[in-house]
Amino acid sequence: MKKLSILMLLVSLPLMSLAQEPDCKAWSLDKAKEWLKSNNIVDSQNLSESKMRITLLATEQKSKNLYTQVHHFIFYDNQNKAYNVITKSNASKTECFDDVDSYFISKRQIEWLR
């Protein structure tokens, strides 16, 4: 029984550490949209929220309560154009920091097959 308890503890430790990482995808998303608009690439009002895709590419712990996160966003507008943006930001467990670096990767027209 003691071995089973130790095994369960060892299995659950990585899950507990993942739960403590910050979740700043909404903050990075807002900053990426602002960046697209301010650089005259696309207005966020022309983007389709239902088609958007978000992927957390990396989270790196820099110190006890400081993380760097990298997100990949794929935005789609009403004309089926896709906009790929990578963001890099710093965060603590309780706060998403103001500086978000945005990198425009590509824009392409999606042709729907009939």
Side-chain angles (χ1 to χ4, degrees):
M1 188 66 174
K2 186 175 181 179
K3 288 182 182 181
L4 181 61
S5 298
I6 293 172
L7 179 63
M8 293 300 292
L9 177 65
L10 291 175
V11 169
S12 64
L13 281 177
L15 296 175
M16 287 188 272
S17 67
L18 287 176
Q20 295 177 354
E21 293 178 359
D23 182 14
C24 289
K25 70 180 170 205
W27 180 257
S28 294
L29 171 67
D30 290 342
K31 293 296 183 177
K33 285 180 180 179
E34 288 175 18
W35 185 85
L36 286 170
K37 184 177 181 177
S38 68
N39 285 285
N40 297 318
I41 297 169
V42 65
D43 191 333
S44 60
Q45 292 185 0
N46 296 329
L47 298 175
S48 173
E49 293 286 329
S50 63
K51 294 179 185 177
M52 180 181 52
R53 295 184 187 173
I54 304 170
T55 305
L56 176 63
L57 297 178
T59 298
E60 179 182 10
Q61 188 171 7
K62 297 291 199 173
S63 64
K64 184 177 180 181
N65 193 24
L66 180 66
Y67 296 82
T68 296
Q69 293 189 320
V70 178
H71 289 91
H72 176 216
F73 298 97
I74 304 175
F75 300 100
Y76 295 92
D77 68 11
N78 300 332
Q79 288 77 38
N80 294 321
K81 291 179 185 170
Y83 304 86
N84 284 275
V85 176
I86 302 282
T87 62
K88 183 184 90 155
S89 60
N90 290 320
S92 71
K93 294 175 184 174
T94 59
E95 181 181 8
C96 302
F97 298 128
D98 215 12
D99 294 334
V100 176
D101 296 328
S102 297
Y103 305 95
F104 185 57
I105 305 303
S106 68
K107 171 182 156 183
R108 66 180 189 279
Q109 177 73 31
I110 306 297
E111 299 292 333
W112 297 105
L113 300 175
R114 296 176 189 214

